[in-house]
Amino acid sequence: GVKTYNGAIAVDTDKKPLLTVLEWAKKQGLKTGVAVTSQINHATPAGFTAHNDSRRNYDAIADSYFDDKVNGKFALDVMLGGGWK
C-alpha cells in the first residue's frame, strides 16, 4: 500500500496521483465503469478513477472524468449515478 491522508482521493501524502484499480484495468485493455446511487462525483465512486487532494472538490472531480485519460481514452466507459434528494 501507499500512505495517503483522510479526505484525499487516490493521491499520496505529497498529493501525487496513485494508480486506481479501474485505471489499471483500462491499461489492460478492459472496459470499465461505475454504477452508484450517489452522485457520480461523490468520494466513493471517485475513488475508482479520480485523483484529488479533497473529496469535497466535486466540480474538479467531475471535470477529471473527462479531462484525465488513460492511454488516450476515458478511464470510465460507463458512468451511472444518482442525483440530489
Side-chain angles (χ1 to χ4, degrees):
V2 177
K3 186 165 179 65
T4 187
Y5 58 93
N6 287 344
I9 297 176
V11 295
D12 65 14
T13 55
D14 294 321
K15 299 182 182 180
K16 294 181 181 166
L18 300 169
L19 186 67
T20 69
V21 67
L22 292 186
E23 288 172 326
W24 177 87
K26 181 59 81 171
K27 286 183 178 189
Q28 304 307 308
L30 300 173
K31 298 292 185 184
T32 59
V34 293
V36 296
T37 57
S38 66
Q39 294 178 62
I40 199 71
N41 58 347
H42 187 270
T44 301
F48 287 97
T49 188
H51 305 89
N52 203 286
D53 59 348
S54 174
R55 63 184 289 157
R56 292 185 174 88
N57 290 338
Y58 301 116
D59 290 340
I61 291 167
D63 289 344
S64 76
Y65 291 146
F66 295 96
D67 296 339
D68 300 343
K69 305 282 192 303
V70 176
N71 295 335
K73 298 180 180 179
F74 292 119
L76 294 170
D77 296 299
V78 175
M79 292 183 285
L80 303 172
W84 295 97
K85 290 183 179 182

PDB file of all heavy atoms in Angstrom, residues 38-79:
ATOM      1  N   SER A  38     -25.370   7.197  -5.449  1.00  0.00           N
ATOM      2  CA  SER A  38     -24.951   8.543  -5.053  1.00  0.00           C
ATOM      3  C   SER A  38     -24.645   9.367  -6.314  1.00  0.00           C
ATOM      4  O   SER A  38     -24.700   8.852  -7.429  1.00  0.00           O
ATOM      5  CB  SER A  38     -23.688   8.456  -4.190  1.00  0.00           C
ATOM      6  OG  SER A  38     -22.605   7.971  -4.960  1.00  0.00           O
ATOM      7  N   GLN A  39     -24.294  10.619  -6.113  1.00  0.00           N
ATOM      8  CA  GLN A  39     -23.826  11.424  -7.233  1.00  0.00           C
ATOM      9  C   GLN A  39     -22.524  10.807  -7.745  1.00  0.00           C
ATOM     10  O   GLN A  39     -21.724  10.284  -6.962  1.00  0.00           O
ATOM     11  CB  GLN A  39     -23.565  12.855  -6.785  1.00  0.00           C
ATOM     12  CG  GLN A  39     -24.837  13.582  -6.355  1.00  0.00           C
ATOM     13  CD  GLN A  39     -24.502  14.966  -5.869  1.00  0.00           C
ATOM     14  OE1 GLN A  39     -23.985  15.779  -6.617  1.00  0.00           O
ATOM     15  NE2 GLN A  39     -24.801  15.237  -4.617  1.00  0.00           N
ATOM     16  N   ILE A  40     -22.286  10.884  -9.012  1.00  0.00           N
ATOM     17  CA  ILE A  40     -21.117  10.252  -9.614  1.00  0.00           C
ATOM     18  C   ILE A  40     -19.807  10.891  -9.149  1.00  0.00           C
ATOM     19  O   ILE A  40     -18.756  10.255  -9.157  1.00  0.00           O
ATOM     20  CB  ILE A  40     -21.251  10.257 -11.155  1.00  0.00           C
ATOM     21  CG1 ILE A  40     -20.325   9.217 -11.763  1.00  0.00           C
ATOM     22  CG2 ILE A  40     -21.013  11.623 -11.741  1.00  0.00           C
ATOM     23  CD1 ILE A  40     -20.733   7.816 -11.528  1.00  0.00           C
ATOM     24  N   ASN A  41     -19.856  12.133  -8.708  1.00  0.00           N
ATOM     25  CA  ASN A  41     -18.647  12.795  -8.230  1.00  0.00           C
ATOM     26  C   ASN A  41     -18.472  12.692  -6.719  1.00  0.00           C
ATOM     27  O   ASN A  41     -17.609  13.347  -6.147  1.00  0.00           O
ATOM     28  CB  ASN A  41     -18.612  14.258  -8.681  1.00  0.00           C
ATOM     29  CG  ASN A  41     -19.803  15.049  -8.209  1.00  0.00           C
ATOM     30  OD1 ASN A  41     -20.798  14.506  -7.746  1.00  0.00           O
ATOM     31  ND2 ASN A  41     -19.717  16.355  -8.337  1.00  0.00           N
ATOM     32  N   HIS A  42     -19.263  11.843  -6.068  1.00  0.00           N
ATOM     33  CA  HIS A  42     -19.102  11.571  -4.639  1.00  0.00           C
ATOM     34  C   HIS A  42     -17.782  10.826  -4.428  1.00  0.00           C
ATOM     35  O   HIS A  42     -17.261  10.194  -5.341  1.00  0.00           O
ATOM     36  CB  HIS A  42     -20.286  10.725  -4.145  1.00  0.00           C
ATOM     37  CG  HIS A  42     -20.300  10.524  -2.672  1.00  0.00           C
ATOM     38  ND1 HIS A  42     -19.674   9.462  -2.072  1.00  0.00           N
ATOM     39  CD2 HIS A  42     -20.860  11.247  -1.674  1.00  0.00           C
ATOM     40  CE1 HIS A  42     -19.852   9.536  -0.763  1.00  0.00           C
ATOM     41  NE2 HIS A  42     -20.561  10.615  -0.504  1.00  0.00           N
ATOM     42  N   ALA A  43     -17.247  10.874  -3.235  1.00  0.00           N
ATOM     43  CA  ALA A  43     -15.937  10.286  -2.949  1.00  0.00           C
ATOM     44  C   ALA A  43     -15.867   8.789  -3.246  1.00  0.00           C
ATOM     45  O   ALA A  43     -14.838   8.299  -3.711  1.00  0.00           O
ATOM     46  CB  ALA A  43     -15.560  10.545  -1.498  1.00  0.00           C
ATOM     47  N   THR A  44     -16.940   8.041  -2.992  1.00  0.00           N
ATOM     48  CA  THR A  44     -16.869   6.592  -3.191  1.00  0.00           C
ATOM     49  C   THR A  44     -16.661   6.217  -4.652  1.00  0.00           C
ATOM     50  O   THR A  44     -15.691   5.523  -4.979  1.00  0.00           O
ATOM     51  CB  THR A  44     -18.108   5.900  -2.605  1.00  0.00           C
ATOM     52  OG1 THR A  44     -18.187   6.208  -1.205  1.00  0.00           O
ATOM     53  CG2 THR A  44     -18.034   4.401  -2.789  1.00  0.00           C
ATOM     54  N   PRO A  45     -17.499   6.661  -5.594  1.00  0.00           N
ATOM     55  CA  PRO A  45     -17.205   6.322  -6.987  1.00  0.00           C
ATOM     56  C   PRO A  45     -15.943   7.016  -7.506  1.00  0.00           C
ATOM     57  O   PRO A  45     -15.221   6.457  -8.337  1.00  0.00           O
ATOM     58  CB  PRO A  45     -18.443   6.776  -7.756  1.00  0.00           C
ATOM     59  CG  PRO A  45     -19.163   7.710  -6.862  1.00  0.00           C
ATOM     60  CD  PRO A  45     -18.795   7.351  -5.463  1.00  0.00           C
ATOM     61  N   ALA A  46     -15.653   8.199  -7.001  1.00  0.00           N
ATOM     62  CA  ALA A  46     -14.466   8.929  -7.450  1.00  0.00           C
ATOM     63  C   ALA A  46     -13.193   8.152  -7.126  1.00  0.00           C
ATOM     64  O   ALA A  46     -12.215   8.216  -7.867  1.00  0.00           O
ATOM     65  CB  ALA A  46     -14.407  10.307  -6.814  1.00  0.00           C
ATOM     66  N   GLY A  47     -13.216   7.409  -6.040  1.00  0.00           N
ATOM     67  CA  GLY A  47     -12.046   6.641  -5.635  1.00  0.00           C
ATOM     68  C   GLY A  47     -11.610   5.599  -6.646  1.00  0.00           C
ATOM     69  O   GLY A  47     -10.488   5.106  -6.596  1.00  0.00           O
ATOM     70  N   PHE A  48     -12.471   5.263  -7.588  1.00  0.00           N
ATOM     71  CA  PHE A  48     -12.121   4.266  -8.591  1.00  0.00           C
ATOM     72  C   PHE A  48     -11.352   4.842  -9.771  1.00  0.00           C
ATOM     73  O   PHE A  48     -10.738   4.104 -10.526  1.00  0.00           O
ATOM     74  CB  PHE A  48     -13.382   3.562  -9.106  1.00  0.00           C
ATOM     75  CG  PHE A  48     -13.957   2.614  -8.106  1.00  0.00           C
ATOM     76  CD1 PHE A  48     -15.005   2.998  -7.290  1.00  0.00           C
ATOM     77  CD2 PHE A  48     -13.432   1.341  -7.977  1.00  0.00           C
ATOM     78  CE1 PHE A  48     -15.527   2.125  -6.355  1.00  0.00           C
ATOM     79  CE2 PHE A  48     -13.952   0.450  -7.045  1.00  0.00           C
ATOM     80  CZ  PHE A  48     -14.994   0.852  -6.226  1.00  0.00           C
ATOM     81  N   THR A  49     -11.400   6.151  -9.952  1.00  0.00           N
ATOM     82  CA  THR A  49     -10.716   6.705 -11.128  1.00  0.00           C
ATOM     83  C   THR A  49     -10.210   8.144 -10.979  1.00  0.00           C
ATOM     84  O   THR A  49      -9.312   8.547 -11.710  1.00  0.00           O
ATOM     85  CB  THR A  49     -11.631   6.615 -12.369  1.00  0.00           C
ATOM     86  OG1 THR A  49     -10.884   6.971 -13.520  1.00  0.00           O
ATOM     87  CG2 THR A  49     -12.825   7.495 -12.266  1.00  0.00           C
ATOM     88  N   ALA A  50     -10.735   8.936 -10.057  1.00  0.00           N
ATOM     89  CA  ALA A  50     -10.321  10.341  -9.922  1.00  0.00           C
ATOM     90  C   ALA A  50      -9.107  10.478  -8.999  1.00  0.00           C
ATOM     91  O   ALA A  50      -8.786   9.575  -8.226  1.00  0.00           O
ATOM     92  CB  ALA A  50     -11.476  11.177  -9.375  1.00  0.00           C
ATOM     93  N   HIS A  51      -8.454  11.629  -9.090  1.00  0.00           N
ATOM     94  CA  HIS A  51      -7.338  11.984  -8.210  1.00  0.00           C
ATOM     95  C   HIS A  51      -7.573  13.416  -7.755  1.00  0.00           C
ATOM     96  O   HIS A  51      -7.661  14.314  -8.588  1.00  0.00           O
ATOM     97  CB  HIS A  51      -6.005  11.910  -8.940  1.00  0.00           C
ATOM     98  CG  HIS A  51      -5.763  10.587  -9.580  1.00  0.00           C
ATOM     99  ND1 HIS A  51      -6.167  10.295 -10.861  1.00  0.00           N
ATOM    100  CD2 HIS A  51      -5.194   9.468  -9.102  1.00  0.00           C
ATOM    101  CE1 HIS A  51      -5.834   9.061 -11.139  1.00  0.00           C
ATOM    102  NE2 HIS A  51      -5.250   8.524 -10.089  1.00  0.00           N
ATOM    103  N   ASN A  52      -7.686  13.601  -6.449  1.00  0.00           N
ATOM    104  CA  ASN A  52      -7.900  14.944  -5.941  1.00  0.00           C
ATOM    105  C   ASN A  52      -7.444  15.002  -4.497  1.00  0.00           C
ATOM    106  O   ASN A  52      -7.561  14.022  -3.765  1.00  0.00           O
ATOM    107  CB  ASN A  52      -9.369  15.354  -6.057  1.00  0.00           C
ATOM    108  CG  ASN A  52      -9.527  16.849  -6.082  1.00  0.00           C
ATOM    109  OD1 ASN A  52      -9.390  17.494  -5.059  1.00  0.00           O
ATOM    110  ND2 ASN A  52      -9.793  17.402  -7.259  1.00  0.00           N
ATOM    111  N   ASP A  53      -6.965  16.171  -4.076  1.00  0.00           N
ATOM    112  CA  ASP A  53      -6.482  16.299  -2.709  1.00  0.00           C
ATOM    113  C   ASP A  53      -7.615  16.479  -1.706  1.00  0.00           C
ATOM    114  O   ASP A  53      -7.378  16.428  -0.502  1.00  0.00           O
ATOM    115  CB  ASP A  53      -5.457  17.420  -2.582  1.00  0.00           C
ATOM    116  CG  ASP A  53      -5.982  18.780  -3.002  1.00  0.00           C
ATOM    117  OD1 ASP A  53      -7.063  18.839  -3.615  1.00  0.00           O
ATOM    118  OD2 ASP A  53      -5.307  19.784  -2.720  1.00  0.00           O
ATOM    119  N   SER A  54      -8.859  16.640  -2.174  1.00  0.00           N
ATOM    120  CA  SER A  54     -10.004  16.727  -1.267  1.00  0.00           C
ATOM    121  C   SER A  54     -11.241  16.089  -1.885  1.00  0.00           C
ATOM    122  O   SER A  54     -11.609  16.401  -3.023  1.00  0.00           O
ATOM    123  CB  SER A  54     -10.322  18.181  -0.918  1.00  0.00           C
ATOM    124  OG  SER A  54     -11.509  18.246  -0.149  1.00  0.00           O
ATOM    125  N   ARG A  55     -11.880  15.254  -1.129  1.00  0.00           N
ATOM    126  CA  ARG A  55     -13.107  14.598  -1.581  1.00  0.00           C
ATOM    127  C   ARG A  55     -14.244  15.585  -1.795  1.00  0.00           C
ATOM    128  O   ARG A  55     -15.263  15.252  -2.383  1.00  0.00           O
ATOM    129  CB  ARG A  55     -13.520  13.529  -0.578  1.00  0.00           C
ATOM    130  CG  ARG A  55     -13.862  14.113   0.788  1.00  0.00           C
ATOM    131  CD  ARG A  55     -14.190  13.084   1.819  1.00  0.00           C
ATOM    132  NE  ARG A  55     -15.482  12.474   1.530  1.00  0.00           N
ATOM    133  CZ  ARG A  55     -15.845  11.277   1.960  1.00  0.00           C
ATOM    134  NH1 ARG A  55     -15.042  10.579   2.711  1.00  0.00           N
ATOM    135  NH2 ARG A  55     -17.029  10.802   1.671  1.00  0.00           N
ATOM    136  N   ARG A  56     -14.103  16.805  -1.296  1.00  0.00           N
ATOM    137  CA  ARG A  56     -15.153  17.819  -1.412  1.00  0.00           C
ATOM    138  C   ARG A  56     -15.031  18.686  -2.670  1.00  0.00           C
ATOM    139  O   ARG A  56     -15.844  19.569  -2.895  1.00  0.00           O
ATOM    140  CB  ARG A  56     -15.161  18.694  -0.164  1.00  0.00           C
ATOM    141  CG  ARG A  56     -15.614  17.937   1.062  1.00  0.00           C
ATOM    142  CD  ARG A  56     -15.728  18.834   2.275  1.00  0.00           C
ATOM    143  NE  ARG A  56     -16.295  18.113   3.394  1.00  0.00           N
ATOM    144  CZ  ARG A  56     -15.604  17.411   4.275  1.00  0.00           C
ATOM    145  NH1 ARG A  56     -14.286  17.334   4.155  1.00  0.00           N
ATOM    146  NH2 ARG A  56     -16.200  16.782   5.270  1.00  0.00           N
ATOM    147  N   ASN A  57     -14.030  18.445  -3.484  1.00  0.00           N
ATOM    148  CA  ASN A  57     -13.845  19.203  -4.721  1.00  0.00           C
ATOM    149  C   ASN A  57     -14.701  18.585  -5.828  1.00  0.00           C
ATOM    150  O   ASN A  57     -14.189  18.077  -6.832  1.00  0.00           O
ATOM    151  CB  ASN A  57     -12.367  19.220  -5.125  1.00  0.00           C
ATOM    152  CG  ASN A  57     -11.529  20.065  -4.201  1.00  0.00           C
ATOM    153  OD1 ASN A  57     -12.032  20.954  -3.519  1.00  0.00           O
ATOM    154  ND2 ASN A  57     -10.245  19.785  -4.156  1.00  0.00           N
ATOM    155  N   TYR A  58     -16.007  18.648  -5.646  1.00  0.00           N
ATOM    156  CA  TYR A  58     -16.952  17.947  -6.528  1.00  0.00           C
ATOM    157  C   TYR A  58     -16.835  18.365  -7.992  1.00  0.00           C
ATOM    158  O   TYR A  58     -16.872  17.518  -8.885  1.00  0.00           O
ATOM    159  CB  TYR A  58     -18.390  18.141  -6.042  1.00  0.00           C
ATOM    160  CG  TYR A  58     -18.614  17.632  -4.643  1.00  0.00           C
ATOM    161  CD1 TYR A  58     -18.952  18.499  -3.609  1.00  0.00           C
ATOM    162  CD2 TYR A  58     -18.470  16.282  -4.346  1.00  0.00           C
ATOM    163  CE1 TYR A  58     -19.143  18.029  -2.322  1.00  0.00           C
ATOM    164  CE2 TYR A  58     -18.659  15.804  -3.065  1.00  0.00           C
ATOM    165  CZ  TYR A  58     -18.995  16.685  -2.049  1.00  0.00           C
ATOM    166  OH  TYR A  58     -19.179  16.225  -0.774  1.00  0.00           O
ATOM    167  N   ASP A  59     -16.691  19.654  -8.252  1.00  0.00           N
ATOM    168  CA  ASP A  59     -16.591  20.112  -9.638  1.00  0.00           C
ATOM    169  C   ASP A  59     -15.307  19.618 -10.294  1.00  0.00           C
ATOM    170  O   ASP A  59     -15.318  19.167 -11.450  1.00  0.00           O
ATOM    171  CB  ASP A  59     -16.670  21.637  -9.727  1.00  0.00           C
ATOM    172  CG  ASP A  59     -18.052  22.176  -9.393  1.00  0.00           C
ATOM    173  OD1 ASP A  59     -19.029  21.400  -9.467  1.00  0.00           O
ATOM    174  OD2 ASP A  59     -18.158  23.368  -9.064  1.00  0.00           O
ATOM    175  N   ALA A  60     -14.207  19.678  -9.562  1.00  0.00           N
ATOM    176  CA  ALA A  60     -12.927  19.215 -10.106  1.00  0.00           C
ATOM    177  C   ALA A  60     -12.952  17.708 -10.355  1.00  0.00           C
ATOM    178  O   ALA A  60     -12.397  17.228 -11.351  1.00  0.00           O
ATOM    179  CB  ALA A  60     -11.786  19.576  -9.161  1.00  0.00           C
ATOM    180  N   ILE A  61     -13.605  16.967  -9.473  1.00  0.00           N
ATOM    181  CA  ILE A  61     -13.729  15.517  -9.655  1.00  0.00           C
ATOM    182  C   ILE A  61     -14.542  15.229 -10.915  1.00  0.00           C
ATOM    183  O   ILE A  61     -14.151  14.400 -11.742  1.00  0.00           O
ATOM    184  CB  ILE A  61     -14.351  14.862  -8.417  1.00  0.00           C
ATOM    185  CG1 ILE A  61     -13.368  14.936  -7.245  1.00  0.00           C
ATOM    186  CG2 ILE A  61     -14.761  13.422  -8.704  1.00  0.00           C
ATOM    187  CD1 ILE A  61     -13.979  14.599  -5.895  1.00  0.00           C
ATOM    188  N   ALA A  62     -15.652  15.921 -11.076  1.00  0.00           N
ATOM    189  CA  ALA A  62     -16.483  15.722 -12.271  1.00  0.00           C
ATOM    190  C   ALA A  62     -15.696  16.077 -13.531  1.00  0.00           C
ATOM    191  O   ALA A  62     -15.732  15.340 -14.523  1.00  0.00           O
ATOM    192  CB  ALA A  62     -17.754  16.560 -12.175  1.00  0.00           C
ATOM    193  N   ASP A  63     -14.974  17.180 -13.514  1.00  0.00           N
ATOM    194  CA  ASP A  63     -14.169  17.573 -14.666  1.00  0.00           C
ATOM    195  C   ASP A  63     -13.117  16.525 -15.001  1.00  0.00           C
ATOM    196  O   ASP A  63     -12.838  16.257 -16.173  1.00  0.00           O
ATOM    197  CB  ASP A  63     -13.473  18.919 -14.420  1.00  0.00           C
ATOM    198  CG  ASP A  63     -14.432  20.091 -14.415  1.00  0.00           C
ATOM    199  OD1 ASP A  63     -15.583  19.940 -14.892  1.00  0.00           O
ATOM    200  OD2 ASP A  63     -14.033  21.168 -13.920  1.00  0.00           O
ATOM    201  N   SER A  64     -12.541  15.911 -13.972  1.00  0.00           N
ATOM    202  CA  SER A  64     -11.465  14.946 -14.203  1.00  0.00           C
ATOM    203  C   SER A  64     -11.946  13.716 -14.962  1.00  0.00           C
ATOM    204  O   SER A  64     -11.160  13.068 -15.656  1.00  0.00           O
ATOM    205  CB  SER A  64     -10.818  14.530 -12.876  1.00  0.00           C
ATOM    206  OG  SER A  64     -11.637  13.632 -12.158  1.00  0.00           O
ATOM    207  N   TYR A  65     -13.228  13.384 -14.856  1.00  0.00           N
ATOM    208  CA  TYR A  65     -13.748  12.225 -15.586  1.00  0.00           C
ATOM    209  C   TYR A  65     -13.609  12.417 -17.100  1.00  0.00           C
ATOM    210  O   TYR A  65     -13.522  11.439 -17.838  1.00  0.00           O
ATOM    211  CB  TYR A  65     -15.214  11.971 -15.257  1.00  0.00           C
ATOM    212  CG  TYR A  65     -15.460  11.479 -13.850  1.00  0.00           C
ATOM    213  CD1 TYR A  65     -16.617  11.852 -13.179  1.00  0.00           C
ATOM    214  CD2 TYR A  65     -14.573  10.647 -13.198  1.00  0.00           C
ATOM    215  CE1 TYR A  65     -16.879  11.392 -11.895  1.00  0.00           C
ATOM    216  CE2 TYR A  65     -14.817  10.196 -11.918  1.00  0.00           C
ATOM    217  CZ  TYR A  65     -15.971  10.572 -11.267  1.00  0.00           C
ATOM    218  OH  TYR A  65     -16.216  10.126 -10.004  1.00  0.00           O
ATOM    219  N   PHE A  66     -13.594  13.653 -17.544  1.00  0.00           N
ATOM    220  CA  PHE A  66     -13.465  13.947 -18.970  1.00  0.00           C
ATOM    221  C   PHE A  66     -12.071  14.436 -19.347  1.00  0.00           C
ATOM    222  O   PHE A  66     -11.626  14.233 -20.470  1.00  0.00           O
ATOM    223  CB  PHE A  66     -14.521  14.969 -19.402  1.00  0.00           C
ATOM    224  CG  PHE A  66     -15.912  14.426 -19.282  1.00  0.00           C
ATOM    225  CD1 PHE A  66     -16.672  14.672 -18.158  1.00  0.00           C
ATOM    226  CD2 PHE A  66     -16.439  13.617 -20.271  1.00  0.00           C
ATOM    227  CE1 PHE A  66     -17.944  14.142 -18.025  1.00  0.00           C
ATOM    228  CE2 PHE A  66     -17.707  13.077 -20.159  1.00  0.00           C
ATOM    229  CZ  PHE A  66     -18.467  13.339 -19.024  1.00  0.00           C
ATOM    230  N   ASP A  67     -11.385  15.071 -18.404  1.00  0.00           N
ATOM    231  CA  ASP A  67     -10.068  15.635 -18.703  1.00  0.00           C
ATOM    232  C   ASP A  67      -8.935  14.618 -18.596  1.00  0.00           C
ATOM    233  O   ASP A  67      -7.996  14.661 -19.384  1.00  0.00           O
ATOM    234  CB  ASP A  67      -9.773  16.813 -17.769  1.00  0.00           C
ATOM    235  CG  ASP A  67     -10.730  17.966 -17.970  1.00  0.00           C
ATOM    236  OD1 ASP A  67     -11.358  18.048 -19.047  1.00  0.00           O
ATOM    237  OD2 ASP A  67     -10.868  18.791 -17.039  1.00  0.00           O
ATOM    238  N   ASP A  68      -9.010  13.719 -17.615  1.00  0.00           N
ATOM    239  CA  ASP A  68      -7.934  12.751 -17.388  1.00  0.00           C
ATOM    240  C   ASP A  68      -8.168  11.509 -18.236  1.00  0.00           C
ATOM    241  O   ASP A  68      -9.245  10.919 -18.196  1.00  0.00           O
ATOM    242  CB  ASP A  68      -7.856  12.369 -15.907  1.00  0.00           C
ATOM    243  CG  ASP A  68      -7.574  13.563 -15.010  1.00  0.00           C
ATOM    244  OD1 ASP A  68      -7.132  14.608 -15.528  1.00  0.00           O
ATOM    245  OD2 ASP A  68      -7.806  13.443 -13.796  1.00  0.00           O
ATOM    246  N   LYS A  69      -7.148  11.116 -18.972  1.00  0.00           N
ATOM    247  CA  LYS A  69      -7.270   9.962 -19.870  1.00  0.00           C
ATOM    248  C   LYS A  69      -6.277   8.870 -19.462  1.00  0.00           C
ATOM    249  O   LYS A  69      -5.263   9.146 -18.825  1.00  0.00           O
ATOM    250  CB  LYS A  69      -7.000  10.380 -21.311  1.00  0.00           C
ATOM    251  CG  LYS A  69      -7.860  11.519 -21.832  1.00  0.00           C
ATOM    252  CD  LYS A  69      -9.233  11.054 -22.205  1.00  0.00           C
ATOM    253  CE  LYS A  69     -10.054  12.027 -22.988  1.00  0.00           C
ATOM    254  NZ  LYS A  69     -10.294  13.313 -22.435  1.00  0.00           N
ATOM    255  N   VAL A  70      -6.578   7.644 -19.873  1.00  0.00           N
ATOM    256  CA  VAL A  70      -5.676   6.505 -19.715  1.00  0.00           C
ATOM    257  C   VAL A  70      -5.405   5.985 -21.120  1.00  0.00           C
ATOM    258  O   VAL A  70      -6.333   5.563 -21.809  1.00  0.00           O
ATOM    259  CB  VAL A  70      -6.308   5.404 -18.839  1.00  0.00           C
ATOM    260  CG1 VAL A  70      -5.396   4.193 -18.759  1.00  0.00           C
ATOM    261  CG2 VAL A  70      -6.633   5.935 -17.452  1.00  0.00           C
ATOM    262  N   ASN A  71      -4.160   6.036 -21.529  1.00  0.00           N
ATOM    263  CA  ASN A  71      -3.785   5.643 -22.900  1.00  0.00           C
ATOM    264  C   ASN A  71      -4.644   6.362 -23.946  1.00  0.00           C
ATOM    265  O   ASN A  71      -5.070   5.767 -24.939  1.00  0.00           O
ATOM    266  CB  ASN A  71      -3.897   4.130 -23.086  1.00  0.00           C
ATOM    267  CG  ASN A  71      -2.902   3.374 -22.235  1.00  0.00           C
ATOM    268  OD1 ASN A  71      -1.866   3.906 -21.866  1.00  0.00           O
ATOM    269  ND2 ASN A  71      -3.218   2.135 -21.915  1.00  0.00           N
ATOM    270  N   GLY A  72      -4.921   7.637 -23.692  1.00  0.00           N
ATOM    271  CA  GLY A  72      -5.683   8.445 -24.632  1.00  0.00           C
ATOM    272  C   GLY A  72      -7.185   8.220 -24.618  1.00  0.00           C
ATOM    273  O   GLY A  72      -7.903   8.794 -25.427  1.00  0.00           O
ATOM    274  N   LYS A  73      -7.670   7.387 -23.696  1.00  0.00           N
ATOM    275  CA  LYS A  73      -9.105   7.094 -23.617  1.00  0.00           C
ATOM    276  C   LYS A  73      -9.639   7.468 -22.236  1.00  0.00           C
ATOM    277  O   LYS A  73      -8.898   7.541 -21.268  1.00  0.00           O
ATOM    278  CB  LYS A  73      -9.355   5.605 -23.858  1.00  0.00           C
ATOM    279  CG  LYS A  73      -8.925   5.143 -25.230  1.00  0.00           C
ATOM    280  CD  LYS A  73      -9.189   3.676 -25.404  1.00  0.00           C
ATOM    281  CE  LYS A  73      -8.757   3.221 -26.798  1.00  0.00           C
ATOM    282  NZ  LYS A  73      -8.989   1.804 -26.994  1.00  0.00           N
ATOM    283  N   PHE A  74     -10.964   7.676 -22.168  1.00  0.00           N
ATOM    284  CA  PHE A  74     -11.583   7.933 -20.876  1.00  0.00           C
ATOM    285  C   PHE A  74     -11.328   6.745 -19.949  1.00  0.00           C
ATOM    286  O   PHE A  74     -11.377   5.590 -20.390  1.00  0.00           O
ATOM    287  CB  PHE A  74     -13.094   8.131 -21.014  1.00  0.00           C
ATOM    288  CG  PHE A  74     -13.476   9.384 -21.751  1.00  0.00           C
ATOM    289  CD1 PHE A  74     -14.206   9.309 -22.920  1.00  0.00           C
ATOM    290  CD2 PHE A  74     -13.101  10.621 -21.282  1.00  0.00           C
ATOM    291  CE1 PHE A  74     -14.565  10.452 -23.608  1.00  0.00           C
ATOM    292  CE2 PHE A  74     -13.454  11.783 -21.963  1.00  0.00           C
ATOM    293  CZ  PHE A  74     -14.183  11.695 -23.125  1.00  0.00           C
ATOM    294  N   ALA A  75     -11.079   7.012 -18.676  1.00  0.00           N
ATOM    295  CA  ALA A  75     -10.858   5.930 -17.712  1.00  0.00           C
ATOM    296  C   ALA A  75     -12.128   5.109 -17.530  1.00  0.00           C
ATOM    297  O   ALA A  75     -12.062   3.899 -17.308  1.00  0.00           O
ATOM    298  CB  ALA A  75     -10.388   6.494 -16.377  1.00  0.00           C
ATOM    299  N   LEU A  76     -13.287   5.759 -17.638  1.00  0.00           N
ATOM    300  CA  LEU A  76     -14.559   5.061 -17.472  1.00  0.00           C
ATOM    301  C   LEU A  76     -15.307   5.001 -18.798  1.00  0.00           C
ATOM    302  O   LEU A  76     -15.493   6.015 -19.461  1.00  0.00           O
ATOM    303  CB  LEU A  76     -15.443   5.780 -16.442  1.00  0.00           C
ATOM    304  CG  LEU A  76     -14.937   5.774 -15.010  1.00  0.00           C
ATOM    305  CD1 LEU A  76     -15.765   6.729 -14.152  1.00  0.00           C
ATOM    306  CD2 LEU A  76     -14.970   4.372 -14.446  1.00  0.00           C
ATOM    307  N   ASP A  77     -15.753   3.810 -19.157  1.00  0.00           N
ATOM    308  CA  ASP A  77     -16.582   3.654 -20.349  1.00  0.00           C
ATOM    309  C   ASP A  77     -18.040   3.901 -20.031  1.00  0.00           C
ATOM    310  O   ASP A  77     -18.796   4.345 -20.888  1.00  0.00           O
ATOM    311  CB  ASP A  77     -16.413   2.233 -20.909  1.00  0.00           C
ATOM    312  CG  ASP A  77     -15.000   1.984 -21.378  1.00  0.00           C
ATOM    313  OD1 ASP A  77     -14.546   2.699 -22.285  1.00  0.00           O
ATOM    314  OD2 ASP A  77     -14.342   1.086 -20.818  1.00  0.00           O
ATOM    315  N   VAL A  78     -18.440   3.605 -18.801  1.00  0.00           N
ATOM    316  CA  VAL A  78     -19.837   3.779 -18.359  1.00  0.00           C
ATOM    317  C   VAL A  78     -19.829   4.469 -16.996  1.00  0.00           C
ATOM    318  O   VAL A  78     -19.074   4.085 -16.115  1.00  0.00           O
ATOM    319  CB  VAL A  78     -20.561   2.430 -18.241  1.00  0.00           C
ATOM    320  CG1 VAL A  78     -21.949   2.606 -17.660  1.00  0.00           C
ATOM    321  CG2 VAL A  78     -20.628   1.734 -19.579  1.00  0.00           C
ATOM    322  N   MET A  79     -20.690   5.488 -16.842  1.00  0.00           N
ATOM    323  CA  MET A  79     -20.880   6.157 -15.559  1.00  0.00           C
ATOM    324  C   MET A  79     -22.373   6.295 -15.319  1.00  0.00           C
ATOM    325  O   MET A  79     -23.068   6.945 -16.106  1.00  0.00           O
ATOM    326  CB  MET A  79     -20.272   7.562 -15.569  1.00  0.00           C
ATOM    327  CG  MET A  79     -18.782   7.606 -15.648  1.00  0.00           C
ATOM    328  SD  MET A  79     -18.141   9.297 -15.557  1.00  0.00           S
ATOM    329  CE  MET A  79     -18.544   9.919 -17.186  1.00  0.00           C
TER     330      MET A  79
END
